[in-house]
Amino acid sequence: QVQLVESGGGLVQAGGSLRLSCVASGSTFSINNMGWYRQAPGKQRELVATISSGGDINYADSVKGRFTISRDNTKNTVFLQMNSLKPEDTAVYYCKAIRRVAGFGFYPYWGQGTQVTVSS
């Protein structure tokens, strides 16, 4: 099992910055990809950014150039630095980790989410 705890959300004005953190605990040795997703009211959850254990990174087009994902494997932590925030970035942000279990496959784990609100 893997447990994920996010922190760093809050209220910020448009143009401001926030840094989200997600700490993984439990069977962290078998985690492959980690990432951030978000869900705005009335909308489906969407990918924001992902990072593999080897450092391969993927961003949603809407956040490219503004958000930066990083990972500290020694601390089992993934970060999301969010700059130039826009009101449309308002959402609950969820951390996701994918754990590989040899012979069984890949299992996703989600954090509880952290609210990010950007005022205009």
Side-chain angles (χ1 to χ4, degrees), residues 14 25 35 54 82 91 107 110:
S25 61
M82 305 186 294
Y107 295 87
W110 293 91

Side-chain angles (χ1 to χ4, degrees), residues 44-59:
Q44 290 188 332
R45 191 172 297 188
E46 63 177 6
L47 178 148
V48 176
T50 61
I51 183 168
S52 71
S53 56
D56 294 325
I57 290 174
N58 180 47
Y59 292 105

